[in-house]
């Protein structure tokens, strides 16, 4: 019991450290009480007036709290030259993060999630942009790039024979097994949206037609929010004039529509967990949108649409962690070329695990797959007014943050 | 003027020594130093207005902390606060013992009233009678609450 007492004390000490009460708190409060005078039950109207004044003060205080400058993680400086080199073949079965070697544009350097370099692969010079699978054990050519071929490469960067390609402007996403990719394709003649999957060594599989485009060249689009091979469940979202309007939950294996919902309220966007079990409906405020506002950002269970967590509307979920309880959020709208405000929080307890308030802006982010902790890798870019390809990398885990030395052109 | 000064002195003598504990309790509940400061100030004014409810000879500390806890619960119940807010972040501390970090996360997952019981008993070192007064329980009820909360952190725990 004594051990536990010490541990609990230490945990509360840590929580309270750095937040000592203001030195003048006692005298301020005593002055406030003195200004009220001695309470009298015969003059309760005085207390009522004071309560109203205090309410105003509290509201003003709360507003000042909301708009007060936030604490920030120290800036990601200094920025020494990247420690790049040949690290040999990357290890199998280890989650890796890849970045291009600035000295050798066709080389990719891998780092593990502790920030240690683990391997180098040398791509064929004819291969353009690549995107890594979330575990760093496979690559897709042109992933995320307009007109990319979508062909798959193995963990050493070699083409996987016999593999087809998901092409098209609606970029494919990696399934939660980190091997399949999933996408949607629009038939220009029939205006049908088809859900497609690609497995290494196979041709693209057209699984099922999910939705129909009302008019050619209209202002709607369909995208995949999640594709879970493990749970045989994908989530597709239709966006109409930049706002999500419909959501389908379909079986990955045969395209059966398990549920179809429409969004009655205007929301900024829908983010899904990679296993397809949770979605976040981000408030319009979190997206910096004008017009009708949604009261909160909501996290729902996909199976029954029950509310799992209600977040402040200023919070916009970017990604779910693999542990089913952490989320990477923006705490104010993400605006290009402006300092980003981020947090990683446990949405089941409300505990904030990490926070960042500039000075850089957000480049990219990734949740570490298949772990029990709140692992996120975040690429932060300097605000230069140009599209700087290099990013600082911060890895947020259960024990705090790790920063990679140097700046990188990331492939995730 | 002298009447005001006298009121302030009386208040300072009675409640002043407990303002720090009140602030720390509010911080433990609300997880935000600005809100905690507001809550303790509001609680102090409420305490002063309700002073006649404090029985002569009764300890002021648990009575005041109960007002603070109620004030914080009230803050959380408001729609504005019924959602998760982002408090001032505890800065990442690599050097912190991982065991402490683990138990900190486990504490964060406890129901708020369980967490408050542990905070009052283990951090503020309040006797069980005072923990009970703050939580609206008997001393025995407070002991049970503390034990059950601690057992959630350490399932095999035996209470001394």
């Amino acid at each position: 019991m004594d051990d536990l007492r010490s541990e609990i004390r230490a945990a509360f000490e840590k929580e309270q450290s750095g937040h000592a009460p203001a030195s003048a708190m006692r005298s301020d409060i005593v002055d406030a009480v003195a200004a009220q005078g001695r309470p009298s039950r015969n003059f309760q109207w005085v207390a009522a007036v004071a309560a109203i004044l205090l309410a105003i003060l509290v509201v003003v205080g709360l507003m000042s709290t909301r708009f007060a400058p936030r604490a920030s993680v120290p800036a990601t400086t200094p920025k020494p030259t990247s420690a790049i080199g040949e690290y040999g073949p990357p290890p199998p079965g280890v989650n890796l993060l890849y970045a291009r070697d600035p000295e050798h544009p066709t080389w990719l350097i891998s780092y593990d999630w502790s920030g240690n370099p683990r391997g180098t692969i040398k791509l064929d010079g004819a291969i353009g942009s690549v995107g890594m699978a979330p575990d760093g054990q496979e690559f897709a050519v042109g992933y995320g790039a307009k007109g990319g071929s979508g062909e798959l490469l193995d963990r050493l960067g070699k083409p996987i024979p016999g593999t087809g390609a998901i092409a098209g402007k609606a970029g494919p996403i990696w399934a939660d097994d980190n091997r399949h990719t999933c996408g949607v394709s629009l038939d220009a003649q029939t205006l049908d949206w088809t859900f497609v999957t690609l497995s290494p060594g196979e041709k693209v599989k057209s699984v099922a037609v999910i939705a129909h485009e009302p008019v050619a060249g209209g202002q709607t689009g369909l995208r995949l929010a999640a594709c879970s091979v493990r749970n045989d469940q994908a989530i597709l979202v239709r966006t109409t004039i930049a706002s999500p309007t419909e959501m389908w939950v379909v079986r990955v294996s045969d395209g059966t529509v398990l549920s179809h919902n429409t969004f009655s309220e205007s929301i900024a966007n829908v983010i899904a967990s990679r296993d397809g079990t949770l979605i976040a409906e981000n408030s319009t405020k979190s997206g910096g949108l004008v017009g009708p506002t949604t009261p909160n950002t909501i996290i729902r269970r996909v199976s029954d649409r029950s509310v799992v967590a209600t977040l402040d509307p200023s919070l916009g979920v970017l990604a779910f962690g693999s542990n089913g309880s952490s989320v990477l959020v923006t705490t104010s709208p993400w605006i290009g070329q402006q300092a980003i405000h981020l947090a990683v929080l446990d949405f089941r307890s409300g505990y904030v695990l990490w926070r960042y308030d500039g000075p850089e802006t957000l480049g990219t982010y990734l949740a570490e797959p298949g772990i029990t902790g709140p692992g996120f890798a975040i690429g932060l870019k300097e605000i230069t007014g140009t599209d700087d390809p290099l990013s600082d990398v911060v890895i947020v885990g259960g024990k705090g943050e790790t920063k990679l030395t140097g700046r990188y052109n990331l492939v995730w | 003027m002298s009447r005001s000064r006298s009121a302030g002195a009386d208040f300072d003598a009675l409640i002043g020594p407990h303002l720090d504990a009140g602030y720390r309790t509010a911080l433990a509940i609300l997880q935000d130093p600005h809100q905690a400061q507001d809550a303790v100030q509001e609680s102090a004014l409420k305490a002063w207005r309700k002073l006649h409810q404090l029985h002569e000879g009764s300890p002021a500390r648990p009575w005041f902390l109960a007002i603070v806890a109620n004030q914080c619960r009230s803050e959380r119940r408001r729609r504005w606060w019924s959602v998760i807010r982002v408090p001032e972040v505890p800065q990442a501390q690599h050097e912190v013992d991982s065991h402490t970090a683990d138990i900190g996360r486990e504490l964060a997952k406890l129901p708020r009233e369980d967490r408050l019981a542990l905070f009052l008993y283990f951090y503020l070192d309040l006797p069980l009678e005072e923990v009970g007064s703050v939580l609206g329980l008997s001393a025995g009820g407070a002991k049970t609450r503390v034990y059950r909360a601690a057992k959630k952190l350490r399932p095999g725990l035996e209470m001394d």
Side-chain angles (χ1 to χ4, degrees), chain B residues 10-81:
Chain B
D10 289 353
F11 174 85
D12 194 22
L14 187 67
I15 305 295
H18 311 306
L19 288 174
D20 188 87
Y23 167 82
R24 294 196 176 281
T25 302
L27 182 60
I29 298 171
L30 297 172
Q31 304 274 301
D32 182 303
H34 300 293
Q35 290 177 48
Q37 189 103 11
D38 289 342
V40 79
Q41 176 151 344
E42 182 66 17
S43 300
L45 291 160
K46 279 186 179 169
W48 187 238
R49 288 197 294 272
K50 295 179 178 178
L51 197 57
H52 61 277
Q53 294 176 0
L54 177 62
H55 301 300
E56 196 167 357
S58 299
R61 180 170 66 176
W63 177 75
F64 177 63
L65 293 182
I67 293 173
V68 171
N70 280 334
Q71 179 66 26
C72 293
R73 291 186 192 107
S74 169
E75 288 287 334
R76 294 200 74 107
R77 271 197 297 273
R78 291 184 193 184
R79 190 189 71 80
W80 179 246
W81 305 120

Side-chain angles (χ1 to χ4, degrees), chain A residues 1-5 7-17 19-22 24-30 32-41 47 50-51 54-55 57-59 61-62 65-66 68-74 285 295-296 309-313 315 325 329 331 343 345-355 374 397-402, chain B residues 3-13 16-17 19-20 23-25 27-28 31-35 37-38 40-42 44-45 48-52 75 78-94 96 98-105 107-109 112 115-116 118-119 121-125 146-147 150-151 153-154 157-160:
Chain A
M1 189 72 172
D2 284 343
D3 286 350
L4 183 61
R5 173 185 287 270
E7 288 170 24
I8 292 174
R9 279 189 68 89
F12 281 124
E13 282 285 0
K14 181 189 167 197
E15 185 180 280
Q16 298 258 335
S17 66
H19 297 307
M25 181 181 79
R26 183 167 174 172
S27 59
D28 287 348
I29 291 176
V30 170
V33 169
Q36 293 232 319
R38 198 168 291 280
S40 166
R41 284 199 239 182
L54 276 167
L57 283 173
V58 168
V59 168
L62 293 176
T65 300
R66 280 195 64 72
R70 298 176 171 114
S72 65
V73 173
K285 181 179 178 183
N296 292 300
T310 305
L311 310 186
D312 190 290
L315 304 182
S325 65
V329 299
T331 59
L345 56 87
D346 184 311
F347 63 81
R348 296 186 191 276
S349 68
Y351 191 72
V352 177
L353 306 167
W354 175 82
R355 189 157 172 183
K399 293 178 181 173
E401 65 172 20
T402 303
Chain B
R3 185 183 163 89
S4 292
R5 196 174 297 130
S6 170
D10 289 353
F11 174 85
D12 194 22
L19 288 174
D20 188 87
Y23 167 82
R24 294 196 176 281
T25 302
L27 182 60
Q31 304 274 301
D32 182 303
H34 300 293
Q35 290 177 48
Q37 189 103 11
D38 289 342
V40 79
Q41 176 151 344
E42 182 66 17
L45 291 160
W48 187 238
R49 288 197 294 272
K50 295 179 178 178
L51 197 57
H52 61 277
E75 288 287 334
R78 291 184 193 184
R79 190 189 71 80
W80 179 246
W81 305 120
S82 66
V83 295
I84 293 173
R85 302 194 68 250
V86 179
E88 298 277 343
V89 71
Q91 297 286 325
Q93 295 179 33
H94 298 286
V96 169
S98 63
H99 208 61
T100 304
D102 289 344
I103 206 153
R105 277 193 291 279
L107 276 171
K109 292 175 186 171
R112 292 194 181 98
R115 195 169 180 280
L116 178 59
L118 294 179
F119 179 84
Y121 185 65
F122 288 120
Y123 185 78
L124 291 186
D125 276 328
V146 168
Y147 175 55
K151 214 167 164 55
L153 299 176
R154 288 286 156 79
L157 181 74
E158 293 298 326
M159 192 78 162
D160 292 338

Side-chain angles (χ1 to χ4, degrees), chain A residues 87 90-91 93-99 109-119 132 134-137 366 368 376-377 393-396 402-404 412:
Chain A
Y87 298 103
V94 176
N95 287 333
L96 297 171
L97 295 164
Y98 274 90
I109 310 297
S110 62
Y111 292 84
D112 62 26
W113 281 70
S114 297
N116 304 308
R118 297 298 298 270
M132 61 168 235
D135 63 354
Q137 298 291 317
L366 178 71
E368 185 178 6
F376 290 96
V393 179
V394 180
I395 300 169
V396 180
T402 303
K403 289 173 185 161
L404 296 192
W412 38 275

